[in-house]
């Protein structure tokens, strides 16, 4: 066996160092698709959508203006770098959580790195649907703590409008497009960083929320064979039940692992799936409204974009301060669910 120092394992980050979120950014398309607009396209109503979901409008990309998942990612990460007072060349890894990338080969992250000028940075995409940003944040933290990277750009982005069937009222009313980003990097303050995380998946529930690519998937999911391919399919009631129960379990599990109470957490930054789902968890745990930010009324469910969009909006509004405890929570297709608890 070679004893060359090149083959030595990378030393883990010493415990005298911490990991911090040095900057955040986000981007949503300008184009607004309101419930009133949907009323003109579908047999639905503003009243039905607001009552069942809390959504009033969502943003969607305008492909004619060249907007896409990739352009949202570039802007969101560019803004996060600006917020962190950093150059793209200082990034040594970019992770993009998305399930709507315009290509799988290459990964969206590679093109985003090139467009931002993050020369030499490693780059890959991570697919965990709506849980994607939380999974990517946990991954970034673990890689920094392992000593593999110093500075990681983490992006959550979905262009849901590209995978929606705008004749299917049971699904298309829920989703919008958005990207959010965070720059995660080493700091000499050991108090900062991830306290604990939870990540789970239950693949047996895949037919409740999936993007069919082949007729075989439709057959396996028990869906009608004339269902359009490439458009999101959802069993709304099953996903609702899953989300309500897993969301509560996730909060309990995270608090237990960290040996903390609800009262000690400053912000619960949650995936925006449905205002009623958020409200049920808030009531169950007695979380005050100001600790659980909700923006679903304006942006709908933007999948992997929703958690980092909320976080960036909270930071830009000055509501997040240094040293606070923030719990990120998400759940989605897979089925997947996960949390990330940070001391900022
Ligand atoms: N406008 C008007 N009526 C609609 C409608 C729409 N956009 N979508 C469905 N309906 C109708 C249904 O056809 C049904 O009519 P029927 O009673 O005549 O059969 C009725 O409304 C109730 O449908 P149902 O699907 O039972 O509604 P619901 O109360 O479960 O609400 C969701 C539907 C999608 C809002 C809800 O199930 C939900 O939010 N699920 C979770 C979705 C989610 O969060 N997904 C992402 C997870 S990351």
């Amino acid at each position: 066996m070679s004893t060359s120092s090149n083959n030595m394992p990378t030393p883990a980050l010493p415990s005298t160092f911490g990991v911090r979120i040095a900057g955040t950014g986000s981007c949503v398309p300008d184009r607004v698709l309101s419930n009133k607009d949907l009323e003109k396209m579908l047999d639905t109503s503003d009243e039905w959508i607001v009552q069942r979901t809390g959504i009033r409008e969502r943003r969607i990309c305008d492909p004619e203006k060249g907007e896409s998942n990739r352009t949202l990612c570039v802007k969101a990460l560019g803004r996060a770098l600006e917020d962190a007072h950093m150059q793209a060349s200082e990034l040594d890894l970019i992770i993009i959580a998305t399930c709507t990338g315009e290509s799988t080969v290459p990964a969206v992250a590679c093109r985003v790195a090139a467009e931002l000028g993050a020369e030499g940075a490693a780059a890959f995409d991570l697919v965990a649907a709506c849980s994607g940003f939380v999974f990517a944040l946990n991954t970034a933290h673990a890689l920094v703590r392992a000593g593999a990277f110093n500075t990681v750009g983490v992006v959550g982005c979905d262009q849901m409008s590209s995978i929606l069937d705008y004749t299917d009222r049971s699904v298309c009313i829920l989703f919008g497009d958005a990207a959010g980003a965070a720059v995660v990097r080493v700091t000499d303050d050991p108090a900062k960083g991830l306290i604990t995380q939870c990540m789970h998946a239950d693949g047996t529930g895949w037919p409740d929320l999936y993007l069919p690519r082949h007729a075989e998937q439709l057959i396996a999911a028990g869906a009608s064979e004339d269902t359009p391919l490439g458009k999101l399919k959802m069993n709304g009631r099953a996903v609702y039940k899953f989300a309500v129960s897993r969301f509560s379990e996730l909060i309990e599990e995270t608090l237990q692992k960290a040996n903390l109470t609800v009262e000690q957490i400053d912000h619960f930054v949650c995936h925006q799936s449905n205002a009623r789902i958020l409200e049920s968890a808030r009531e169950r745990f007695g979380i005050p409204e100001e600790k659980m930010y909700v923006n679903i009324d304006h942006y709908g469910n933007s999948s992997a974009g929703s958690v980092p969009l909320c976080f960036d909006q909270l930071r830009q509004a000055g509501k997040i301060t240094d040293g606070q405890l923030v719990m990120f929570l998400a759940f989605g297709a897979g089925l997947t669910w996960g949390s990330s608890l940070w001391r900022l």
Side-chain angles (χ1 to χ4, degrees), residues 38 42-46 48-49 51-53 129-131 168-175 208-209 232 234-243 271-277 296 301 303 330-333 335-336:
L38 287 171
L42 293 160
D43 179 14
T44 190
S45 68
D46 175 52
W48 191 97
I49 300 173
Q51 267 182 9
R52 306 274 174 138
T53 70
C130 301
S131 309
D168 181 355
R169 67 178 184 173
S170 66
V171 181
C172 73
I173 54 119
L174 288 173
F175 297 95
D208 291 335
L209 190 53
L232 194 69
M234 181 180 74
N235 177 347
R237 281 188 195 179
V239 175
Y240 191 91
K241 270 197 209 159
F242 149 77
H271 173 49
Q272 308 286 300
S273 57
N274 180 319
R276 290 190 294 149
I277 295 173
I296 193 168
N301 175 346
S303 185
F331 44 84
L335 301 168
T336 54

Side-chain angles (χ1 to χ4, degrees), residues 221-295:
S224 145
E225 280 180 56
D226 55 18
T227 302
L229 297 175
K231 301 293 173 194
L232 194 69
K233 282 280 295 170
M234 181 180 74
N235 177 347
R237 281 188 195 179
V239 175
Y240 191 91
K241 270 197 209 159
F242 149 77
V244 168
S245 63
R246 291 299 190 202
F247 194 17
S248 293
E249 287 170 22
L250 196 54
I251 294 176
E252 266 164 19
E253 184 188 359
T254 315
L255 289 172
Q256 214 165 32
K257 275 175 97 172
N259 199 21
L260 290 168
T261 62
V262 165
E263 293 70 33
Q264 290 171 286
I265 308 298
D266 295 296
H267 296 278
F268 294 83
V269 181
C270 304
H271 173 49
Q272 308 286 300
S273 57
N274 180 319
R276 290 190 294 149
I277 295 173
L278 295 172
E279 192 56 25
S280 77
R282 210 178 61 69
E283 277 179 7
R284 182 172 169 174
F285 290 95
I287 299 170
E289 265 181 46
E290 62 277 11
K291 283 193 179 186
M292 192 183 273
Y293 180 63
V294 175
N295 69 6

